[in-house]
């Protein structure tokens, strides 16, 4: 499976930073709200809601909060309404950027996206200009130091559950699935006693562009500014950088 860039593993640390700033619960609540509004409040009959609830629990979001958001979405409680909007554009080095937004103000979101892209070295493009460069996939990461399972055994386990492929990186294994079988593959892996460090249904780039030096640093700043926006749910890109450049930025 080509293209799932290593920079995505920033998300693990970034998630903890967002939690410290109180942002992650807001993003999770919005995703739960839209999933319940569109597919109903029963997670057994609504896979998007089920995934959103599981992700919220992984981040220790209280069940009372989850239930309250679902009730607002289904009309049992009064609440705001969120609209889903996607923005597409380019960053330093011509890399593709795909942004998923959930907002209660379309005008504010559009203004914010134009401002962030232009101020931090990007270019906002037309709808459809880059989304064709990504495939929707389930991604399951297993840290090697946290598990004793061998690569061949894990691969057989993943394929048994219905996975498409598995990659071995220096610190982790990455299992790739179709979205429809993501939960089944994850359940098969965890049932064998394997600890999953991170899992999500995400947009995986078909190919990546490697950035170095100033371009890499500018790209990381642009991604951070986009992710820090309250209306932004997810940011996807097809860039990759070296561990050295990543450490300089985190420095």
């Amino acid at each position: 499976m080509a293209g799932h860039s290593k920079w995505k593993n920033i998300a693990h640390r970034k998630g903890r930073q967002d939690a410290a700033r109180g942002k992650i619960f807001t993003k999770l609540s919005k995703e739960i709200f839209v999933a319940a509004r569109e597919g109903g409040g029963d997670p057994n009959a609504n896979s998007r809601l089920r995934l959103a609830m599981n992700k919220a629990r992984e981040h220790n979001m209280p069940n009372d909060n989850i239930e309250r958001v679902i009730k607002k979405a289904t009309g049992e409680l009064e609440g705001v309404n969120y609209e889903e909007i996607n923005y597409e554009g380019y960053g330093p080095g011509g890399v593709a950027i795909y942004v998923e937004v959930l907002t209660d103000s379309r005008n504010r979101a559009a203004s914010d996206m134009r401002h962030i892209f232009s101020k931090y070295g990007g270019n906002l493009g037309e709808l459809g200009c880059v989304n064709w460069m990504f495939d929707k996939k389930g991604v399951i990461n297993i840290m090697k130091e946290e598990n004793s399972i061998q690569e061949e055994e894990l691969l057989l386990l993943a394929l048994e559950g219905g996975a498409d492929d598995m990659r071995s990186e220096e610190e982790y294994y990455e299992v790739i699935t179709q979205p429809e079988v993501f939960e089944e593959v994850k359940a098969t892996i965890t049932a064998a006693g394997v600890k999953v460090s991170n899992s999500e249904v995400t947009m995986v780039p078909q190919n990546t562009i490697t950035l170095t030096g100033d371009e890499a640093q500018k790209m990381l700043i642009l991604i951070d500014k986009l992710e820090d926006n309250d209306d932004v749910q997810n940011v996807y890109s097809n860039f990759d950088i070296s561990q050295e450049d990543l450490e300089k930025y985190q420095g």
Side-chain angles (χ1 to χ4, degrees):
M1 170 59 60
H4 194 221
S5 55
K6 299 181 186 68
W7 81 269
K8 276 296 291 180
N9 289 287
I10 300 170
H12 303 206
R13 294 179 289 274
K14 187 74 170 65
R16 288 195 289 272
Q17 293 166 7
D18 281 348
R21 292 194 296 264
K23 286 180 177 288
I24 192 68
F25 279 11
T26 300
K27 295 179 185 290
L28 292 168
S29 294
K30 286 182 179 180
E31 175 61 25
I32 292 169
F33 182 96
V34 172
R37 183 190 66 189
E38 295 190 350
D42 180 7
N44 294 317
N46 183 344
S47 61
R48 180 176 176 181
L49 176 59
R50 189 165 61 248
L51 287 172
M53 291 173 66
N54 288 340
K55 188 173 182 179
R57 288 174 179 139
E58 287 176 2
H59 286 277
N60 299 313
M61 187 173 181
N63 284 329
D64 287 348
N65 293 31
I66 295 172
E67 293 301 322
R68 188 161 57 248
V69 173
I70 293 173
K71 287 180 178 179
K72 287 180 179 180
T74 56
E76 296 177 61
L77 293 175
E78 186 176 349
V80 298
N81 194 25
Y82 295 109
E83 182 178 5
E84 289 184 283
I85 311 170
N86 297 328
Y87 293 92
E88 302 177 41
Y90 302 92
V95 302
I97 302 176
Y98 185 79
V99 185
E100 294 178 341
V101 164
L102 287 178
T103 182
D104 59 356
S105 172
R106 173 181 281 267
N107 290 337
R108 182 188 67 230
S111 175
D112 286 350
M113 291 302 102
R114 285 194 298 268
H115 172 73
I116 294 171
F117 269 88
S118 63
K119 183 174 182 179
Y120 296 101
N123 294 289
L124 197 59
E126 298 293 327
L127 191 64
C129 67
V130 302
N131 67 357
W132 59 272
M133 301 181 190
F134 298 85
D135 296 316
K136 195 169 188 178
K137 298 284 186 180
V139 178
I140 303 168
N141 286 331
I142 296 103
M143 299 302 294
K144 293 180 179 179
E145 66 178 14
E146 296 176 351
N147 294 277
S148 59
I149 192 168
Q150 297 299 306
E151 181 177 352
E152 295 78 8
E153 184 182 357
L154 180 59
L155 176 59
L156 288 174
L157 200 60
L159 294 176
E160 177 187 330
D164 289 346
D165 198 3
M166 188 184 83
R167 295 195 311 146
S168 177
E169 297 292 344
E170 184 176 348
E171 298 179 349
Y172 62 92
Y173 299 111
E174 185 172 77
V175 176
I176 307 294
T177 81
Q178 293 298 315
E180 296 79 15
V181 298
F182 167 74
E183 292 177 282
E184 183 179 343
V185 175
K186 183 179 177 181
T188 300
I189 291 172
T190 56
V194 176
K195 181 179 179 182
V196 170
S197 63
N198 187 61
S199 62
E200 60 182 337
V201 174
T202 185
M203 299 291 282
V204 177
Q206 296 168 3
N207 295 287
T208 57
I209 298 173
T210 299
L211 299 181
T212 59
D214 288 344
E215 283 190 333
Q217 301 304 303
K218 288 177 181 178
M219 187 66 201
L220 289 170
I221 291 171
L222 174 56
I223 293 292
D224 267 353
K225 295 299 181 182
L226 287 168
E227 289 187 335
D228 281 343
N229 184 272
D230 288 341
D231 287 332
V232 171
Q233 287 295 105
N234 296 295
V235 181
Y236 306 107
S237 185
N238 68 340
F239 79 96
D240 209 346
I241 64 174
S242 68
Q243 187 65 32
E244 180 183 359
D245 279 318
L246 179 56
E247 288 171 358
K248 282 181 183 177
Y249 180 71
Q250 294 174 326

